[in-house]
Amino acid sequence: MQRGQITKALSGFYYVTDESNTIYQTRARGVFRKQNLTPLVGDYVEFESGNISEGIIQNLLERKNELTRPQVANVDVGIVIMSAVDPDFSTQLLDRFLVMLESKHIEPVIFITKMDKLTEDQRQEIVAYQAEYVAIGYQIILTEKTVEMKKKQVEQIFKEQFGGKLIVFIGQSGAGKSTLLNVIDSSLALKTGETSKSLGRGKHTTRHVELIPLMDSLIADTPGFSSLNFDDIEQEELTEYFPEMWARRGECKFSGCIHLEEPKCAVKKAVEDQVIPKYRYDHYLLFLEEIRNRKPRYKKKGAF
């Protein structure tokens, strides 16, 4: 039995790359359909193949996570592209991305673009936000001014941190994601753009997801990030995805504290003491309300 990783899915075929970087065209066993399992790009698999064009995937190995848009599994890093201006920097949108990544156990790395368009006062405001997110434990990078400086900055980060990792790029529309991809590799934005266009939503549209090699990493670009609602998160879990709140869970009077109306809540005290930024807590309350107000999900007949 051979092992490899699915690096492309197209028209019912799965292209599996093995340790020697040989690519095999394979199909999935019919039993997967009966088990309601779908192989995803990023999956590690066991397969059998007499030659590189006729292989069969026999087993899907355990996933550590999966996304639905793009359909990709085993993501290591989520690079969040946020704009400093035009569109304006939004801590609420950033926190939505961070909660989604945290809930999937994907390491977030934040890039803030268009820093060269700011006044000095605006720049200081972004630098202050950077310090607050760094204090929480996030890596937040302010992009350099010139293309040459950006390229050197990004290449150094990739070289030092992302070797052998599967990465998704996410971010707000107009934040300069394609520009940043072009800085890294001028052909990359074109490739990922083509991938994004072919991620059709129609019933008869071919779905095409591909991992693109870059500096010892694999890039999966996404036009959106699944969805930015919290359908898969329960209200008791939300605090886990705010690291600065989760770190204080043992200091609250009640073990199941959700930091709302409970007395002697360590999180609310930290907000009062300005140890936790108030906007982070406000976003937590907003997301908590969304989770509490969502429509109930009913299990399909026969589901466990």
Side-chain angles (χ1 to χ4, degrees):
M1 194 83 74
Q2 297 162 270
R3 285 195 174 198
Q5 184 179 30
I6 299 174
T7 49
K8 180 180 176 180
L10 179 63
S11 302
F13 287 102
Y14 299 96
Y15 297 84
V16 179
T17 303
D18 70 5
E19 287 184 354
S20 66
N21 283 327
T22 302
I23 299 173
Y24 294 82
Q25 179 178 278
T26 70
R27 287 192 180 275
R29 291 176 64 202
V31 70
F32 292 144
R33 194 176 294 111
K34 294 176 184 175
Q35 295 171 343
N36 203 24
L37 292 173
T38 303
L40 297 179
V41 166
D43 269 331
Y44 291 98
V45 299
E46 291 180 331
F47 68 102
E48 292 179 342
S49 180
N51 56 63
I52 61 171
S53 60
E54 295 179 356
I56 298 292
I57 294 174
Q58 298 289 349
N59 296 306
L60 300 179
L61 303 183
E62 187 176 355
R63 294 171 184 156
K64 68 176 182 180
N65 57 45
E66 65 180 85
L67 305 179
T68 56
R69 185 178 165 204
Q71 291 185 305
V72 60
N74 297 314
V75 178
D76 298 303
V77 177
I79 295 183
V80 184
I81 311 296
M82 298 293 297
S83 174
V85 67
D86 189 29
D88 291 341
F89 181 69
S90 166
T91 55
Q92 187 200 128
L93 183 57
L94 175 57
D95 287 345
R96 283 183 183 274
F97 284 132
L98 293 176
V99 166
M100 293 300 296
L101 290 170
E102 293 278 5
S103 72
K104 299 289 186 180
H105 306 291
I106 296 170
E107 177 192 354
V109 177
I110 306 155
F111 278 78
I112 300 185
T113 61
K114 305 184 185 179
M115 291 296 296
D116 54 319
K117 297 181 182 291
L118 300 181
T119 65
E120 185 54 33
D121 286 347
Q122 289 173 322
R123 181 179 175 81
Q124 289 307 315
E125 187 178 350
I126 296 294
V127 168
Y129 281 129
Q130 180 190 34
E132 288 172 337
Y133 280 95
V134 167
I136 293 167
Y138 290 115
Q139 183 176 8
I140 183 164
I141 297 153
L142 311 182
T143 57
E144 296 285 1
K145 289 185 178 181
T146 67
V147 171
E148 292 78 12
M149 291 167 71
K150 281 178 188 171
K151 188 173 179 66
K152 188 174 180 181
Q153 178 188 33
V154 174
E155 283 179 350
Q156 183 177 354
I157 292 164
F158 266 76
K159 184 178 179 181
E160 292 176 356
Q161 299 181 36
F162 299 152
K165 295 189 175 181
L166 199 165
I167 299 166
V168 293
F169 277 76
I170 61 179
Q172 66 194 127
S173 179
K177 186 174 63 173
S178 294
T179 302
L180 190 61
L181 287 169
N182 265 327
V183 166
I184 300 168
D185 181 342
S186 59
S187 67
L188 190 61
L190 174 63
K191 289 175 187 172
T192 56
E194 287 172 350
T195 299
S196 298
K197 285 176 187 174
S198 65
L199 284 171
R201 301 288 168 255
K203 190 179 286 186
H204 305 291
T205 309
T206 300
R207 288 180 179 269
H208 169 209
V209 182
E210 184 173 359
L211 302 182
I212 300 165
L214 177 75
M215 290 188 278
D216 297 323
S217 306
L218 290 171
I219 305 293
D221 185 52
T222 166
F225 181 71
S226 300
S227 54
L228 282 177
N229 54 35
F230 303 117
D231 286 347
D232 296 328
I233 300 174
E234 301 302 328
Q235 64 174 7
E236 297 81 10
E237 300 171 357
L238 183 61
T239 184
E240 293 181 38
Y241 309 134
F242 283 78
E244 71 275 38
M245 298 183 192
W246 185 240
R248 289 171 171 80
R249 65 192 183 281
E251 301 169 26
C252 292
K253 181 179 179 180
F254 297 103
S255 59
C257 186
I258 59 171
H259 323 306
L260 192 58
E261 296 167 350
E262 301 92 336
K264 296 186 179 178
C265 169
V267 167
K268 286 191 289 185
K269 186 175 189 311
V271 175
E272 289 171 13
D273 295 343
Q274 299 183 348
V275 178
I276 291 177
K278 186 175 183 300
Y279 62 85
R280 284 278 290 176
Y281 181 65
D282 288 343
H283 297 160
Y284 169 81
L285 294 180
L286 176 65
F287 302 161
L288 186 66
E289 184 180 7
E290 288 181 22
I291 291 169
R292 292 178 131 195
N293 291 339
R294 75 183 172 206
K295 293 179 181 178
R297 288 174 293 167
Y298 298 101
K299 291 182 179 178
K300 293 179 181 177
K301 190 175 181 181
F304 292 98

